[in-house]
């Protein structure tokens, strides 16, 4: 997966609580192969009107926020079912970081394993970020993972916490497969030792 170190991008405020994974990507798109761009399905039903056309009222359809790489969301973002496709949809649409007071547990873990940075902050701070985005001349926010800081366009800076192991994986761009491959030599040596010391455990064709 792509390494995450520092991100400077337009931040889109989504002030809706309890956005679940079915809203992030509706269930009818879940059989789509991973090789297909899932970004086209992001918030599919939320961002369209009854006629199926994109609604200008949805923030990611507005010109200023079409290329946002950061979402500033509300409580319990990514709750609901454990579909990994929700993270794919965000990632493929160019969203690399979601800031919120809280997340669905499985969504939070899936994000970290797929190169998307979820940042938990007190809701009062999230509200301060919404206010700063509304009042500043710019909507660009900088997220610095190495220093665990968020820099707002009004000059404010906030710190955030993250598990050290997951932080290092993001900095190095390591998913679970990459982590396993780091120990490939040791694994192969162990397998050879097992075959030598316990030959009766080998499978017989």
């Amino acid at each position: 997966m792509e390494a995450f170190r520092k991100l400077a991008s337009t931040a889109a405020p989504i002030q809706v609580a309890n956005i679940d994974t079915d809203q992030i990507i509706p269930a009818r798109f879940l059989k789509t192969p991973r090789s297909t761009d899932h970004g086209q399905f992001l918030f599919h039903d939320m961002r369209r009107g009854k006629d199926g056309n994109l609604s200008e009222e949805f923030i990611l359809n507005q010109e200023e926020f079409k290329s946002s790489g950061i979402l500033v969301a509300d409580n319990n973002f990514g709750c609901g079912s454990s579909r990994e496709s929700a993270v794919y949809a965000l990632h493929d649409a160019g969203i690399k970081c979601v800031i919120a007071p809280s997340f669905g547990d499985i969504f939070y873990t899936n994000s970290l394993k797929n190169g998307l940075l979820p940042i938990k902050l007190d809701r009062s701070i999230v509200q301060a970020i919404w206010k700063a985005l509304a009042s500043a001349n710019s909507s660009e926010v900088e997220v610095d993972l190495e220093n665990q800081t968020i820099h707002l366009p009004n000059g404010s800076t906030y710190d955030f916490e993250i598990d050290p192991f997951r932080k290092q994986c993001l900095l190095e761009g390591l998913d679970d497969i990459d982590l396993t491959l780091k120990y490939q030599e040791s694994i192969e040596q162990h397998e050879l030792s097992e075959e030598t010391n316990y030959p009766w455990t080998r499978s017989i064709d």
Side-chain angles (χ1 to χ4, degrees):
M1 75 185 184
E2 184 180 352
F4 187 113
R5 297 183 181 278
K6 184 181 290 185
L7 173 66
S9 177
T10 300
I14 298 187
Q15 301 177 47
V16 180
N18 302 310
I19 291 180
D20 63 35
T21 51
D22 191 59
Q23 292 172 291
I24 297 172
I25 182 170
R28 60 187 181 278
F29 301 121
L30 296 185
K31 292 185 179 180
T32 305
R34 181 63 189 101
S35 57
T36 299
D37 174 20
H38 281 56
Q40 61 187 305
F41 308 128
L42 179 63
F43 299 123
H44 187 279
D45 296 345
M46 294 179 68
R47 69 194 307 173
R48 287 168 171 77
K50 293 181 179 180
D51 58 2
N53 295 322
L54 294 176
S55 169
E56 293 184 1
E57 294 182 2
F58 191 77
I59 192 163
L60 293 180
N61 295 336
Q62 297 170 15
E63 192 62 37
E64 181 181 358
F65 298 103
K66 285 183 177 179
S67 60
S68 297
I70 301 169
L71 295 184
V72 187
D74 207 336
N75 288 321
N76 207 24
F77 186 86
C79 57
S81 62
S82 59
R83 60 192 67 171
E84 202 164 15
S85 297
V87 177
Y88 299 161
L90 288 161
H91 182 276
D92 290 359
I95 307 296
K96 308 299 183 187
C97 174
V98 179
I99 300 169
S102 58
F103 295 88
D105 289 341
I106 297 175
F107 173 85
Y108 184 86
T109 300
N110 284 341
S111 296
L112 291 168
K113 290 185 176 183
N114 286 278
L116 189 151
L117 174 61
I119 297 177
K120 297 179 183 179
L121 294 176
D122 288 343
R123 194 169 189 275
S124 61
I125 297 178
V126 171
Q127 290 175 315
I129 296 175
W130 289 336
K131 184 176 180 180
L133 293 175
S135 61
N137 294 325
S138 170
S139 298
E140 184 166 294
V141 170
E142 182 184 87
V143 176
D144 184 337
L145 176 57
E146 190 166 7
N147 293 304
Q148 296 177 211
T149 54
I150 299 170
H151 304 281
L152 303 187
N154 65 359
S156 299
T157 298
Y158 294 101
D159 298 328
F160 63 90
E161 299 296 324
I162 185 172
D163 176 80
F165 172 72
R166 288 301 176 189
K167 174 183 177 179
Q168 196 60 38
C169 288
L170 286 169
L171 289 171
E172 295 184 34
L174 300 176
D175 59 22
D176 287 351
I177 294 175
D178 295 324
L179 282 169
T180 301
L181 291 177
K182 285 185 68 174
Y183 301 98
Q184 182 174 356
E185 183 177 346
S186 297
I187 293 170
E188 291 175 349
Q189 290 178 351
H190 173 75
E191 290 177 341
L192 181 60
S193 175
E194 290 289 294
E195 289 183 1
T196 301
N197 297 323
Y198 310 103
W200 59 85
T201 63
R202 289 182 294 178
S203 60
I204 300 175
D205 296 331

